[in-house]
Amino acid sequence: MTTEAGSPVAESAELHALRTEVRAFLNEQLAAGAFVPAVDNWMSGFDPEFSARLGQQGWLGMTLPAAYSGHDRSPVERFVVTEELLAHGAPVAAHWVADRQMAPGILANGTEEQKQRYLPGIAAGTLFFAIGMSEPDAGSDLAAVRTRAVRHDDGSWTLNGTKVWTTGAHMAHAMVLLARSDGEAGDRQTGLSQFLVDLSHPDIEVRPLRSIDGEAHFNEVIFHDARVGPEALLGRRGDGWAQVMRELAFERSGPERYLSTMPLLRAWADELRWSGATEEQRITLGTLTAQAWALRRMSLSVAAELAAGRRPDVRAAMVKDLGSAFEGDLVEAVRAACATDPRRTGGDPFARLLANSMLHIPAFTLRGGTNEILRGIVARGMGLR
């Protein structure tokens, strides 16, 4: 699917066969009523049983070594699988964070004990992670971390602080926590460390935060003098910022940054196929499809960079910036062009899908770093600031 330079070309026979296999599986699951396609299902579609079925298919932990129950496959092969899951609106939120960024993060920075403890469960789709980055009053300023990790003489740590907008913490087994282990808050990127923390800890409190759709997939997570052992430290003390930056390349560049609302576009195309489309509707549908295709090529190029062992931080930020804006634009364009009134209740599945899509729009350009922050990353990376 990619050249050595990382530019997308025709899909190989092997990748096409993998894509066909995933599509057949998803169509079987849909026919059996295993899930209903929905927008943003990588954020809000928690279905542990579905995640376990994906693990049984060998479609989680794909890039992990076999020694950790992985499958030794390439980032591009993983891209094909995730692309199909997202386009079909499958409920993949339970395992998403663990498979997307914690698997490569632990593989790169973890001890052998940490790898053996966490990676097989991630590959099986039975061990779920939350991300402990964002904090109250900090917005997208990730360097303004105030959660504190204090080390004791025996090597253990005490954690105090609050994380917020923590997706899936109410269902996750563990969290990767970014905390200040050294220095003061004004030290910014210096003195930060990452920790692997089990959320069943008695001194960790998880409070659900309800969004506009009434769901509670966001959470506030509070650490009340939570004592953890020395084995909780991920990577080297003080290297947390560098580790997080590498991790964010996986978070920001994936196809979820432009495919969250693809189930709506596909459903609208099906509606037009049966009802007939006006010229204006055909133009809108074609324009949105072309934009999605361009973003896909950008995201594929990032997957190729990761496969080559490079760090496409700036390119990943560009994909996230453009993709998250496109997600909301897609919903607005379909709403304006279709003849359907959005309704959260009733017998019209497309009207319900449209209504739920509209309620998710505000989050698209906020999560994973606001677009303003991402544009600053791109500007610095291109030497413009």
Side-chain angles (χ1 to χ4, degrees):
M1 182 178 288
T2 59
T3 66
E4 291 185 1
S7 58
V9 294
E11 189 166 277
S12 68
E14 292 78 10
L15 290 174
H16 181 71
L18 175 61
R19 188 181 299 280
T20 301
E21 181 184 0
V22 177
R23 285 182 179 175
F25 169 83
L26 290 171
N27 287 332
E28 289 173 1
Q29 295 292 302
L30 284 168
F35 71 92
V36 175
V39 302
D40 231 13
N41 245 2
W42 68 273
M43 285 282 287
S44 55
F46 289 90
D47 188 336
E49 292 182 1
F50 187 83
S51 293
R53 286 197 289 274
L54 292 179
Q56 293 166 4
Q57 293 289 323
W59 294 333
L60 300 182
M62 292 182 68
T63 61
L64 291 175
Y68 304 113
S69 301
H71 304 284
D72 288 309
R73 303 185 81 160
S74 71
V76 178
E77 288 176 297
R78 182 184 178 276
F79 186 98
V80 167
V81 173
T82 56
E83 192 173 41
E84 290 299 321
L85 292 170
L86 293 164
H88 284 80
V92 295
H95 69 262
W96 198 259
V97 168
D99 185 63
R100 179 184 65 186
Q101 65 203 89
M102 287 321 305
I106 294 172
L107 185 64
N109 303 306
T111 63
E112 184 62 25
E113 179 186 356
Q114 289 169 335
K115 294 173 186 177
Q116 294 289 351
R117 179 178 181 181
Y118 293 108
L119 295 182
I122 292 174
T126 57
L127 196 157
F128 311 139
F129 264 86
I131 304 173
M133 291 187 190
S134 299
E135 296 194 359
D137 304 320
S140 287
D141 187 2
L142 184 56
V145 169
R146 292 183 294 183
T147 295
R148 175 68 64 173
V150 177
R151 189 178 184 274
H152 301 283
D153 292 340
D154 63 356
S156 65
W157 300 82
T158 295
L159 308 174
N160 277 288
T162 301
K163 297 295 179 177
V164 75
W165 311 123
T166 312
T167 304
H170 62 304
M171 295 190 68
H173 302 100
M175 168 187 280
V176 55
L177 174 73
L178 182 65
R180 191 163 297 283
S181 57
D182 301 278
E184 303 299 327
D187 292 336
R188 306 291 292 166
Q189 293 96 337
T190 303
L192 298 174
S193 299
Q194 283 188 303
F195 298 86
L196 297 174
V197 182
D198 290 343
L199 289 176
S200 60
H201 194 294
D203 297 317
I204 299 177
E205 179 184 3
V206 178
R207 297 177 179 175
L209 300 172
R210 295 203 174 273
S211 54
I212 193 172
D213 60 2
E215 300 295 326
H217 49 268
F218 292 124
N219 299 270
E220 183 178 47
V221 182
I222 306 169
F223 297 81
H224 301 283
D225 288 324
R227 191 81 169 250
V228 296
E231 71 280 359
L233 179 66
L234 176 63
R236 293 175 52 186
R237 177 175 178 172
D239 280 0
W241 183 261
Q243 291 172 195
V244 164
M245 289 301 102
R246 290 192 291 269
E247 182 185 313
L248 286 174
F250 293 95
E251 178 177 340
R252 290 171 172 165
S253 63
E256 69 269 30
R257 296 307 175 186
Y258 62 93
L259 286 180
S260 291
T261 52
M262 187 55 60
L264 176 66
L265 186 64
R266 293 181 59 162
W268 186 46
D270 287 340
E271 291 279 311
L272 296 179
R273 183 177 295 114
W274 298 112
S275 65
T278 66
E279 181 179 0
E280 182 180 355
Q281 288 173 328
R282 286 196 297 271
I283 291 173
T284 300
L285 180 62
T287 300
L288 293 171
T289 302
Q291 289 176 304
W293 188 256
L295 286 163
R296 178 179 186 267
R297 292 177 68 86
M298 291 179 65
S299 190
L300 270 170
S301 72
V302 176
E305 291 288 296
L306 292 170
R310 292 187 281 267
R311 292 178 54 186
D313 299 354
V314 173
R315 197 178 301 185
M318 292 177 66
V319 172
K320 198 279 180 184
D321 176 25
L322 296 171
S324 58
F326 170 73
E327 290 176 312
D329 291 345
L330 186 155
V331 178
E332 292 290 2
V334 172
R335 181 196 60 78
C338 75
T340 302
D341 291 327
R343 296 184 180 277
R344 296 199 66 204
T345 59
D348 184 351
F350 179 73
R352 294 198 302 270
L353 182 61
L354 178 59
N356 289 328
S357 301
M358 293 173 64
L359 293 178
H360 282 257
I361 289 176
F364 293 146
T365 56
L366 294 175
R367 62 195 183 198
T370 65
N371 286 35
E372 291 79 8
I373 292 292
L374 293 168
R375 290 165 192 168
I377 293 172
V378 173
R380 286 191 296 273
M382 297 178 68
L384 301 178
R385 289 178 60 180

